[in-house]
Amino acid sequence: MMLDITTGVSLLLVAGVLLITWMYMNIRRPTGMPSGPTPYPIIGNVSVFMGKTPPHEIFREMSKKYGPIISFKVGPNWAVVINNYELTQEALLSKPNDFSGRPSLYLLDWITDNQKDIVLAQPTPIWKFHRKLAHSAIRKYATGEYLENLIREIIPRIQGVMTQKAGTPFDPHEVITLAVYNVIASMCFGHKYTLLICDLKRITFLLRL
């Protein structure tokens, strides 16, 4: 009986030591990683972003405490945020090859069919070819008459909505945003929406999340 109790206590102690060691290794910041908030086991620093405060304001407050380069943990993955114009310019322009990679996340890999898109793909020769095609198509639309005609068509509709609001204060941000999304939808899907249609308002709502 005494032996069983001793064995049980020993197993609990071993399990406790292993758990504490795993928790420490899970939250330990890798060598050379910039400073940042201390993460929780498993979830990392996800809880910091669960409030109503926009992420850019959270990073701005972090930069006041930890400096312009911040590291934090999102689930099992570490991330680094550069919150400084000069450092961002150096990273993207002076050292593009060092900062052009993309993380391998299960959800993003599933959405992009194993990183076969442009935004989240690794900088491979195929990616460069896709980017070149996309850039050529965007440049064609941006400099051609097609985009100019779409903008001309949307201007009277913006004026109509604003005329209805004449005499009363209102925020034009939503109307202008919906107009921009309408132009994009016309380019991508060949369909013109009314400025206050539910689908476009839902898009703006999702982008604010």
Side-chain angles (χ1 to χ4, degrees):
M1 183 67 179
M2 194 65 173
L3 182 61
D4 293 340
I5 295 176
T6 304
T7 303
V9 172
S10 301
L11 291 175
L12 286 176
L13 288 175
V14 171
V17 171
L18 290 176
L19 179 61
I20 293 173
T21 303
W22 174 82
M23 292 176 62
Y24 171 76
M25 296 299 294
N26 188 264
I27 66 175
R28 185 175 63 90
R29 202 175 303 275
T31 304
M33 189 72 72
S35 60
T38 302
Y40 293 102
I42 301 177
I43 65 172
N45 298 111
V46 174
S47 59
V48 177
F49 305 96
M50 295 180 66
K52 295 183 179 180
T53 306
H56 67 275
E57 294 185 7
I58 296 175
F59 290 135
R60 183 170 57 190
E61 292 300 321
M62 286 185 182
S63 64
K64 295 178 181 178
K65 183 177 181 180
Y66 301 107
I69 305 179
I70 309 161
S71 65
F72 62 98
K73 199 172 186 183
V74 183
N77 302 304
W78 284 95
V80 176
V81 172
I82 301 176
N83 199 12
N84 178 280
Y85 173 77
E86 289 77 13
L87 293 176
T88 303
Q89 186 178 34
E90 179 183 353
L92 298 180
L93 299 181
S94 302
K95 301 178 180 179
N97 295 330
D98 296 334
F99 293 90
S100 60
R102 297 293 186 268
S104 180
L105 303 176
Y106 176 78
L107 180 61
L108 296 181
D109 291 346
W110 178 72
I111 293 175
T112 60
D113 193 15
N114 199 21
Q115 297 185 346
K116 292 182 180 178
D117 67 335
I118 296 177
V119 178
L120 299 173
Q122 299 293 341
T124 61
I126 296 178
W127 172 83
K128 292 181 180 180
F129 179 71
H130 288 169
R131 180 178 177 273
K132 183 178 180 180
L133 290 178
H135 184 267
S136 301
I138 293 174
R139 183 173 57 185
K140 177 182 178 181
Y141 278 115
T143 58
E145 295 182 358
Y146 181 70
L147 179 59
E148 183 178 347
N149 293 335
L150 288 177
I151 296 175
R152 285 179 178 175
E153 291 177 4
I154 203 70
I155 290 177
R157 296 156 69 184
I158 298 176
Q159 293 174 339
V161 173
M162 291 187 173
T163 301
Q164 295 176 2
K165 304 288 186 179
T168 58
F170 79 101
D171 184 4
H173 178 267
E174 184 180 48
V175 176
I176 296 175
T177 302
L178 289 175
V180 173
Y181 292 158
N182 201 348
V183 172
I184 295 175
S186 299
M187 292 175 59
C188 295
F189 311 119
H191 184 80
K192 297 180 178 63
Y193 300 93
T194 59
L195 286 182
L196 299 179
I197 198 167
C198 295
D199 290 343
L200 288 176
K201 296 188 75 173
R202 176 171 172 77
I203 292 174
T204 60
F205 172 75
L206 293 175
L207 290 176
R208 290 174 184 172
L209 295 179

